[in-house]
Amino acid sequence: MTDLLRVTGGTPLQGTITVRGAKNFVSKAMVASLLGQCPSVLRNVPQIRDVSVVSGLLSLHGVDVAYNPEAGELRLDPSNVKRGETAEIDAHAGASRIPILFCGPLLHRLGEAFIPDLGGCHIGDRPIDFHLEALRGFGAAVEKGEGGIYLSAPRRLRGTKMALPYPSVGATEQLLLTAVKAEGLTEISNAAIEPEIIDLICVLQKMGAIISVDTDRVIRIEGVDELSGYDHTALGDRIEAASWASAALATGGDVTVRGASQASMMTFLNTFRKVGGKFHIDDDGISFRHPGTQLQSIVLETDVHPGFMTDWQQPLVVALTQATGLSIVHETVYEKRFGFTKALRKMGANIQLYRECLGGSPCRFGQRNFHHSAVVSGPTPLEAADIEVPDLRGGFSHLIAALSAHGTSTVRGISLIDRGYENFQGKLEALGADVERG
Ligand code: UD1
C-alpha cells in the first residue's frame, strides 16, 4: 500500500466512530506486565503500530504475547523473561520512545538492560536526563555506549527520592515502574498526574503495588518483593477523541466519538465550548458538532495535566484557522511543536510564529530562540495542497486541514499516523470523507 492519501475536502464529517484504549497508556501497561510473576490481560487495546512495536520488544525479551485485535484483548505471559539480543532490540524499537520504560522492569527481572537510542516525534529535543537520574537514584549503573544505553543493577534496586524539574510523563512512569519492586520507599515530587498515569497506577495496584497519590503532585511508592499479573480495561484515548472533535469543528461537521470520556477531557471540552463548538455527553461517548455560526478566537496555553494537553493543540489549531479574529496559542510543553503550521500556511492559513511567551505565563522556552507561540488569524479558506506528515499529531492535523480545504490534497507519509490512530482511513470513510490511498 502506498504511503499517501488523496483527500478531497469540503464535506463536513458526519457520523459515529469508536476510540479504543489510549496509546499513551496501553504501551506502558504492556511494559508493566514484565514486572509480574504471572500472566496479565489488557482489554480495549487498539490496533496501532505502537502496540505492535511494544509487542515485538516484549517478545524479544521472552514474553509470550497473544493479541486478538477484534476483541481488543492482549494476553501477556512473562514467565520466561530473558535477555534480548542488542541488535534485535535496536532493529525492533523503530521510532518509538517506549523502550526507555523497559529499564526498571528488566533490571528487576534480569539485573541488566540495553535501551537503544530513542525515536519518537520530532517536536523538541526530548532528552532523557530525568530518566537516567532516576535510575541512578535507584542504584542502577548507567552507561552510554554504542547505539544506546547499557544498564545494570549489581544488587537489588533501592527506593529513592526525586523532585522532577518538570512533571514529565515518561520520567514519572519510569519512576513508578522501577519503584514498585525496589526496596523501601520512593517519593516523587512534581510528578505528572495525567489520567494515563493514574490508570497505570491502577494496573500496578492490581498487581500488588502500594502507591499513594497526593493532591500536590507527590507520589509515594512502598516497594514490594513480588507482583502478580493484572486484568485491566484501558481508559479511552482522549487524544484521538479530541482529534476527531477538532475535525468535526474544522469541517463544519457533527461527529459522535464512542469511548470518549468527559472526566479525562474536561479541559478540552471547556476550550471546545469557548471556540463555539457544541457537545453532548452520554454514557457511551461524546458528540461534537460545529455550531452553524461563526467560531470564536481564543487564547490557549498548553500545559501538563490538568492543563490543556499539548497533543490536543495541533488538531485544534486547524479549527482555529476557521475562527473569527486572532487566536493566541502558547506551547509550553514542547519547544518545537508548531512545525506542522508550515503546511497550513501553504494551504492559506494565516499563522505567525513567535519566540516570545505570548498570552500567559513565561515558560521554559522563553528567551531561548524557540518559535513556541503562534498567532492564528481567521477565518481563512484553505486550499488543497501537496503536504508531508511531519509527526504523529501534526499528521492528523494535516488530514483535518485537507478535509477542510477546497480541492484534492495529497497527504504523504501517512503511515506515521498509524502509530496512534487505529484504522483512521476506515473511520474517515465512515464519517463520509472523500479519501483514497494514492
Ligand atoms: C508523553 C506522551 C506524549 C505527550 C507528552 C506530554 C507517550 C508515549 N507520549 O511523552 O504524547 O505529548 O507525554 O503530555 O506517553 N523532559 C526533559 N527530560 C526528561 C524527560 C522529559 O527535559 O528526561 C521534558 C521534555 O523535553 C518535554 C517535557 O519534559 O519538554 C515533557 O515531556 P514528557 O512528559 O516526558 O513527554 P513523554 O513522556 O516523552
Side-chain angles (χ1 to χ4, degrees):
M1 212 181 280
T2 53
D3 200 19
L4 65 84
L5 199 67
R6 281 187 227 291
V7 181
T8 304
T11 313
L13 293 188
Q14 243 145 17
T16 300
I17 46 114
T18 299
V19 299
R20 296 205 278 183
K23 160 189 166 289
N24 286 356
F25 161 77
V26 165
S27 43
K28 327 297 173 60
M30 290 172 73
V31 178
S33 72
L34 268 175
L35 290 161
Q37 291 303 120
C38 34
S40 292
V41 180
L42 188 58
R43 303 175 195 278
N44 201 25
V45 177
Q47 200 172 9
I48 52 174
R49 202 159 74 247
D50 268 22
V51 168
S52 34
V53 168
V54 183
S55 296
L57 286 169
L58 287 169
S59 303
L60 290 177
H61 288 96
V63 178
D64 187 38
V65 182
Y67 180 44
N68 176 337
E70 281 74 41
E73 193 179 289
L74 193 57
R75 287 177 179 271
L76 305 151
D77 184 349
S79 310
N80 298 307
V81 170
K82 63 172 174 77
R83 203 179 166 276
E85 287 305 319
T86 308
E88 277 187 290
I89 301 173
D90 204 7
H92 208 90
S96 171
R97 296 186 60 76
I98 304 302
I100 188 77
L101 295 177
F102 277 66
C103 295
L106 288 181
L107 286 171
H108 285 305
R109 289 297 293 250
L110 305 169
E112 59 177 5
F114 164 71
I115 308 302
D117 290 332
L118 299 180
C121 291
H122 300 299
I123 50 182
D125 269 355
R126 310 195 78 175
I128 51 167
D129 48 338
F130 306 164
H131 294 254
L132 301 185
E133 191 187 330
L135 289 160
R136 290 195 178 101
F138 284 110
V142 179
E143 261 182 62
K144 286 194 187 155
E146 182 83 2
I149 300 168
Y150 295 81
L151 300 109
S152 59
R155 64 188 80 82
R156 185 176 174 191
L157 299 178
R158 300 177 308 272
T160 185
K161 252 190 173 190
M162 183 158 177
L164 287 171
Y166 185 80
S168 150
V169 168
T172 301
E173 291 161 344
Q174 179 77 265
L175 281 148
L176 283 166
L177 289 166
T178 311
V180 284
K181 279 186 80 180
E183 190 185 343
L185 197 72
T186 294
E187 186 182 281
I188 318 168
S189 37
N190 203 25
I193 48 162
E194 269 58 9
E196 293 78 14
I197 292 182
I198 302 301
D199 216 23
L200 180 64
I201 291 174
C202 291
V203 159
L204 294 169
Q205 188 178 50
K206 282 180 175 171
M207 296 175 81
I210 303 171
I211 304 172
S212 65
V213 185
D214 282 355
T215 46
D216 58 353
R217 291 194 180 278
V218 176
I219 301 180
R220 289 188 184 79
I221 304 110
E222 283 177 49
V224 296
D225 293 338
E226 227 179 76
L227 293 171
S228 63
Y230 64 81
D231 187 323
H232 192 79
T233 301
L235 84 168
D237 197 313
R238 65 194 172 116
I239 305 176
E240 189 188 348
S243 301
W244 290 112
S246 299
L249 203 56
T251 62
D254 184 346
V255 174
T256 297
V257 185
R258 282 207 201 102
S261 101
Q262 180 182 16
S264 67
M265 294 186 73
M266 282 190 148
T267 310
F268 179 83
L269 293 170
N270 285 335
T271 303
F272 192 82
R273 180 167 277 161
K274 283 201 246 177
V275 179
K278 304 280 182 199
F279 58 85
H280 174 78
I281 301 164
D282 64 27
D283 289 348
D284 290 338
I286 307 179
S287 303
F288 299 92
R289 69 176 172 84
H290 189 280
T293 52
Q294 286 188 344
L295 299 180
Q296 315 297 315
S297 54
I298 51 162
V299 176
L300 179 66
E301 199 162 34
T302 64
D303 206 349
V304 293
H305 189 76
F308 189 93
M309 251 201 123
T310 170
D311 302 62
W312 290 334
Q313 178 261 105
Q314 291 157 302
L316 191 73
V317 161
V318 185
L320 292 181
T321 66
Q322 303 310 308
T324 304
L326 289 183
S327 291
I328 293 172
V329 184
H330 182 202
E331 170 59 60
T332 78
V333 181
Y334 288 111
E335 64 272 37
K336 293 183 195 158
R337 211 164 195 176
F338 283 123
F340 74 104
T341 59
K342 193 172 167 200
L344 300 191
R345 278 197 297 277
K346 184 174 170 185
M347 297 172 84
N350 194 345
I351 303 175
Q352 310 281 342
L353 301 184
Y354 294 89
R355 294 188 180 85
E356 290 76 11
C357 298
L358 295 186
S361 29
C363 75
R364 294 169 296 153
F365 311 133
Q367 317 299 329
R368 285 187 53 209
N369 237 3
F370 298 119
H371 287 100
H372 71 293
S373 293
V375 175
V376 185
S377 164
T380 46
L382 300 180
E383 295 300 329
D386 190 337
I387 51 183
E388 174 94 28
V389 166
D391 57 74
L392 173 61
R393 309 297 166 193
F396 198 85
S397 307
H398 282 189
L399 284 182
I400 302 177
L403 291 163
S404 320
H406 300 122
T408 302
S409 296
T410 304
V411 188
R412 297 177 195 279
I414 49 159
S415 58
L416 236 173
I417 302 175
D418 289 324
R419 269 192 54 211
Y421 292 88
E422 181 177 40
N423 183 24
F424 66 87
Q425 187 180 343
K427 290 179 187 175
L428 285 170
E429 284 162 355
L431 296 173
D434 185 350
V435 294
E436 193 193 344
R437 285 264 165 161

